[in-house]
Amino acid sequence: MSTGIQPAANRSTHFLFDHKVFTVDGCRFILSKTNDEPVMCMKLGKLDVEIPIEKLSTEFGIQPKSFDGQLLTMAAKGLRYVREIRPGDTIPNELIDGTASWRVDERHYNVAKGRLTVQLVTWLTGGETVVSSPEQLEQVVEDPNTKARVHEAFRMIANRLSLAGDPEEEIGLHIDMLAKELSYIEALRERALALHKVRQGLETAHRIYKAERMVKEEIVRMQTLSLPPIADLESRFAQVDAQTGEILAMLRKFDQNISYIREMRDDLHQSLLPWDEVLDGWLTVTVEKSPELEALMKRTYHFLAKRYSQATQWRLATRPAPK
């Protein structure tokens, strides 16, 4: 890549460094596997070298307030949202405008929109409708009676909020925006539910290796270590659901609630991201006595022991609701 001055528009959205050190072969930013510290990796001959980002400025004479210095700070923050950053990559959207830098499927949007639709109908009728499965939500949304009630709810909410212009159209746009933001929560919820595959796999492995004392003890240790972080995630999803469960309150403090949803989205995403190290293995492995399963359990034991030792004090990471 060029080391000259780049156009301002590009430099505001991409990691376009000036210093030649960022053109070295293999240059990239990651979280160190040793201590999760943000580091820059590069190749020096046959060696793979890691340099903590906080030491790069002094090592290569980069002024902290220079553009490169600011990009280094941005790279360290960006590793909360992506696993790796290379020179020339786009700066994560979370650091630019607050939107997510990763994508969700249409089904996640449909689930979020369905939940909001149920909230609208529930608010209008004063009853309580509990719908959990995506299929049920889709049926509710497409029901002609539901659509009629939603339009009626739009009118009533618009009157409550004293909206000007075309209030029903404005409410509809806000609902769509909320559904878009909440679709990321639904995608993360789906990923978090997949963690139960790890728990189920360990339970099955415990039965398979019951005659091998050392292996069985390691499995018990993994079961013990994995329970608190998974329970903590479930608690945080419950918190989001509780804080976003009243549609009128969501619309009355719309901007504050969008900020709240994004903050929780980032918090949940950062908590789930490390699980990529082992989760896909448990989603595809056949849980039977085999070298493949034993290798996966070894990786899982190392992962859990490193990140979730019992010395960690687990507690619900609460976020204040918008006032």
Side-chain angles (χ1 to χ4, degrees):
M1 61 170 276
S2 170
T3 59
I5 298 298
Q6 303 292 333
N10 289 334
R11 297 192 73 178
S12 65
T13 57
H14 291 72
F15 289 101
L16 298 176
F17 295 94
D18 282 333
H19 200 289
K20 290 184 179 181
V21 70
F22 301 111
T23 66
V24 173
D25 185 35
C27 179
R28 68 192 191 282
F29 301 96
I30 62 170
L31 294 177
S32 172
K33 292 183 178 180
T34 304
N35 55 13
D36 283 338
E37 181 181 10
V39 297
M40 186 183 80
C41 298
M42 59 181 178
K43 284 189 174 294
L44 290 181
K46 295 183 179 180
L47 296 176
D48 291 319
V49 178
E50 286 188 0
I51 304 174
I53 287 181
E54 64 179 16
K55 294 183 179 180
L56 279 171
S57 296
T58 54
E59 290 285 341
F60 297 100
I62 299 171
Q63 295 298 317
K65 292 185 179 180
S66 68
F67 202 88
D68 277 0
Q70 294 177 53
L71 282 181
L72 286 175
T73 300
M74 196 79 75
K77 293 178 179 178
L79 291 172
R80 295 193 301 236
Y81 310 107
V82 295
R83 300 189 67 84
E84 178 181 277
I85 293 172
R86 292 180 180 270
D89 282 356
T90 303
I91 296 172
N93 292 341
E94 290 89 346
L95 300 177
I96 297 175
D97 60 10
T99 60
S101 56
W102 47 282
R103 295 184 178 182
V104 297
D105 294 335
E106 185 178 358
R107 70 177 185 277
H108 300 129
Y109 171 84
N110 291 336
V111 170
K113 185 68 175 290
R115 292 187 191 279
L116 289 171
T117 300
V118 170
Q119 287 183 35
L120 284 164
V121 174
T122 298
W123 177 83
L124 180 67
T125 61
E128 184 175 354
T129 305
V130 179
V131 181
S132 55
S133 74
E135 294 78 13
Q136 286 179 307
L137 286 169
E138 184 176 357
Q139 290 176 3
V140 169
V141 171
E142 294 302 320
D143 187 287
N145 291 329
T146 299
K147 292 182 178 180
R149 287 179 174 178
V150 166
H151 282 295
E152 185 179 352
F154 279 9
R155 289 193 296 272
M156 293 182 66
I157 289 174
N159 288 333
R160 288 279 190 94
L161 299 180
S162 301
L163 297 176
D166 188 336
E168 288 185 51
E169 182 179 358
E170 186 173 346
I171 293 295
L173 289 172
H174 281 143
I175 293 295
D176 285 341
M177 290 176 67
L178 283 171
K180 181 180 177 181
E181 297 294 340
L182 287 169
S183 66
Y184 291 93
I185 300 295
E186 295 304 329
L188 292 166
R189 191 195 309 272
E190 182 178 273
R191 188 67 171 169
L193 286 172
L195 295 182
H196 289 285
K197 285 287 187 179
V198 179
R199 299 279 302 168
Q200 292 167 5
L202 290 172
E203 289 177 9
T204 303
H206 187 268
R207 292 194 296 271
I208 293 173
Y209 290 93
K210 63 182 180 181
E212 300 182 34
R213 184 178 63 82
M214 291 186 64
V215 177
K216 187 175 72 171
E217 288 178 355
E218 288 187 349
I219 293 171
V220 170
R221 176 69 170 157
M222 285 187 277
Q223 290 174 311
T224 301
L225 289 172
S226 63
L227 183 58
I230 293 176
D232 180 67
L233 280 166
E234 291 174 348
S235 295
R236 280 185 276 169
F237 279 108
Q239 179 191 337
V240 176
D241 292 343
Q243 300 295 355
T244 60
E246 296 184 10
I247 194 65
L248 187 60
M250 290 280 286
L251 293 169
R252 180 173 282 125
K253 298 291 185 180
F254 183 76
D255 290 339
Q256 294 94 321
N257 278 293
I258 291 293
S259 297
Y260 171 79
I261 293 168
R262 288 178 173 180
E263 182 181 3
M264 293 302 291
R265 174 203 69 200
D266 292 345
D267 181 64
L268 290 163
H269 183 238
Q270 291 163 32
S271 296
L272 279 165
L273 196 60
W275 284 91
D276 289 351
E277 189 174 328
V278 297
L279 179 54
D280 288 341
W282 285 102
L283 293 176
T284 56
V285 74
T286 300
V287 186
E288 59 186 24
K289 188 174 289 191
S290 66
E292 181 185 13
L293 176 60
E294 289 163 16
L296 177 59
M297 287 195 295
K298 184 177 180 179
R299 290 205 316 273
T300 303
Y301 187 90
H302 181 267
F303 164 74
L304 292 171
K306 174 187 172 185
R307 290 189 172 273
Y308 306 115
S309 70
Q310 286 186 307
T312 302
Q313 296 297 312
W314 289 101
R315 64 173 182 272
L316 177 61
T318 57
R319 296 289 187 275
K323 297 180 179 179

